[in-house]
C-alpha cells in the first residue's frame, strides 16, 4: 500500500493522515460487509442446489425401499398360497395391514388431539387482556379476545388492513430509495472483489498501526526539535562571530581593549543560547499543533 491511500505526503509526522485513514476504513467496511452477505447468499444457493440433488437421490432410494416392501408382501402372500387359495392369502395379508393401520392411526389421532393446540392459549389470552387494560383501561372490551365474536373479527380486519397498508408504504419507500444496481454479480466476481478489498484493508490497517506508533512519532518529534536547536545554535554563533569580527580586525588595538571587548560578546552568547533553544522548541510545538488541527 502506498501513501496515496492514507494521505501521507512525506517522511515527517504522520498523525495528520489518521483521520483520512479512519475515513477510508469506514468507507470500505460497509462495502466489504455487503459483498460478504451477497457471497453468503450465492454460497447458500449453490449448496441448496446440491441439497436438492441429494434429496432426489434419497427419494429414489425410498422408492426402491417401497418396492422392496411390496416384494416382501408378495412373497408373504405366495407363501400363504401354498396352504390356502391365493386370493384368500392376499385378503388375509391386507386385513392384517388394515388392522395395524387403524390401530396406529387411532393412537396418533388421540395423541394429536391431546397435544392441540400447540400454543398456551390461556396464557396468551391473559397477556392480551393485560395489554388491553394497560392501553385502554376500563374501556377495554374483553370480547375482542374471543375469535368468534364480531368485535374480534372487526378488530382483526382493521389490524390486517393497517398491516397491509404499512407494508405497501414500506415497500414503496424502499423501492423509491433503492438505486438500480444492475444485474447481481456472480460468485466468482464477488470472491475477486472480496479478496481485493481484503488486501486493501490489510494494508490500510498496517499503515494505521504505523501511524499510531507513539515511539516512532516521538522519535520524529525529537529529531525535529534537535534540528531546530542546531539551527538556533548556528544562528547564535553567526551573531557572535559578527559581533567579534570588527574588534579583532581593528588596527592598533591594544590587547587589554580586546580582552575587555570579548566580555560583552561572551555574556551575549550566554544569553542567546537558552533563548534560541526555547524559540526552537516553541516553533516545533506550534508546527505540530498546526498539523494536528489541519488533520
Amino acid at each position: 500500500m502506498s501513501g496515496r491511500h492514507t494521505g501521507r505526503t512525506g517522511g515527517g509526522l504522520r498523525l495528520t493522515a489518521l483521520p483520512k485513514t479512519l475515513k477510508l476504513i469506514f468507507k470500505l467496511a460497509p462495502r466489504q460487509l455487503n459483498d460478504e452477505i451477497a457471497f453468503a447468499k450465492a454460497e447458500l444457493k449453490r449448496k441448496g442446489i446440491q441439497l436438492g440433488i441429494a434429496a432426489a437421490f434419497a427419494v429414489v432410494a425410498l422408492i426402491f425401499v417401497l418396492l422392496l416392501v411390496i416384494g416382501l408382501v408378495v412373497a408373504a402372500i405366495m407363501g400363504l398360497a401354498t396352504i390356502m387359495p391365493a386370493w384368500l392369502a392376499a385378503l388375509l395379508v391386507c386385513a392384517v395391514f388394515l388392522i395395524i393401520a387403524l390401530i396406529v392411526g387411532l393412537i396418533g389421532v388421540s395423541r394429536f388431539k391431546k397435544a392441540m393446540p400447540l400454543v398456551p392459549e390461556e396464557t396468551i389470552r391473559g397477556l392480551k387482556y393485560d395489554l388491553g387494560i394497560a392501553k385502554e383501561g376500563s374501556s377495554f372490551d374483553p370480547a375482542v379476545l374471543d375469535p368468534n365474536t364480531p368485535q374480534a373479527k372487526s378488530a382483526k380486519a382493521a389490524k390486517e388492513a393497517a398491516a397491509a397498508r404499512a407494508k405497501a408504504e414500506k415497500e414503496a419507500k424502499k423501492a423509491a430509495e433503492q438505486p438500480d444496481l444492475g444485474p447481481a454479480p456472480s460468485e466468482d466476481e464477488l470472491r475477486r472483489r472480496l479478496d481485493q478489498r481484503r488486501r486493501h484493508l490489510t494494508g490500510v490497517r498496517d499503515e494505521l498501526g504505523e501511524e499510531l506508533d507513539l515511539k516512532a512519532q516521538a522519535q520524529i518529534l525529537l529529531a525535529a526539535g534537535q534540528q531546530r536547536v542546531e539551527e538556533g545554535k548556528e544562528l547564535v554563533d553567526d551573531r557572535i562571530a559578527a559581533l567579534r569580527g570588527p574588534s579583532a580586525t581593528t588596527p592598533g588595538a591594544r590587547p587589554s581593549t580586546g580582552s575587555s571587548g570579548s566580555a560583552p560578546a561572551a555574556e551575549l552568547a550566554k544569553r542567546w543560547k537558552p533563548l534560541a533553544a526555547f524559540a526552537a522548541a516553541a516553533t516545533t510545538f506550534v508546527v505540530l499543533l498546526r498539523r494536528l488541527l489541519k488533520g
Side-chain angles (χ1 to χ4, degrees), residues 49-81:
I49 294 174
Q50 295 176 355
L51 183 62
I53 296 173
F57 281 101
V59 170
V60 173
L62 289 176
I63 291 173
F64 279 98
V65 171
L66 180 61
L67 293 177
L68 175 62
V69 173
I70 294 174
L72 293 175
V73 172
V74 172
I77 293 173
M78 294 180 67
L80 291 174

Side-chain angles (χ1 to χ4, degrees), residues 150-207:
Q151 295 88 343
K153 293 180 180 179
S154 61
K156 183 178 180 181
K159 186 177 181 180
E160 290 178 353
R165 184 168 58 254
K167 183 178 180 181
E169 292 177 356
K170 184 178 180 180
E171 291 179 353
K173 185 177 180 181
K174 184 178 180 181
E177 293 179 354
Q178 186 175 6
D180 188 9
L181 300 178
S186 62
E187 187 173 352
D188 295 335
E189 177 67 18
L190 287 172
R191 185 180 289 106
R192 184 187 64 81
R193 278 163 41 177
L194 286 171
D195 292 338
Q196 183 178 2
R197 195 175 292 113
R198 193 174 290 115
R199 290 193 297 269
H200 193 178
L201 287 172
T202 301
V204 172
R205 176 61 184 82
D206 293 339
E207 289 188 357

Side-chain angles (χ1 to χ4, degrees), residues 96-114:
V96 172
F97 287 163
L98 179 61
I99 294 171
I100 295 174
L102 288 175
I103 294 173
V104 174
L106 291 175
I107 295 174
V109 169
S110 63
R111 295 293 181 87
F112 187 75
K113 287 182 178 180
K114 290 180 179 179

Side-chain angles (χ1 to χ4, degrees), residues 232 235-236 239-240 267-277:
L235 179 61
V236 171
R239 295 285 181 88
I240 294 173
E267 185 68 22
L268 182 61
K270 291 181 180 179
R271 293 182 179 181
W272 269 95
K273 288 184 179 180
L275 292 176

Side-chain angles (χ1 to χ4, degrees), residues 22 44 55 90 106 139-140 147-148 156 192 215 229 237 261 274 279 287:
L22 294 177
L44 289 176
L106 291 175
S139 60
F140 175 70
N148 297 324
K156 183 178 180 181
R192 184 187 64 81
K215 183 177 180 181
V229 171
D237 293 339
V287 170

Side-chain angles (χ1 to χ4, degrees), residues 257-293:
T257 305
S259 61
S260 63
S262 62
E267 185 68 22
L268 182 61
K270 291 181 180 179
R271 293 182 179 181
W272 269 95
K273 288 184 179 180
L275 292 176
F278 176 75
T283 305
T284 304
F285 177 74
V286 170
V287 170
L288 177 60
L289 184 61
R290 288 183 62 186
R291 289 189 180 182
L292 290 176
L293 292 177

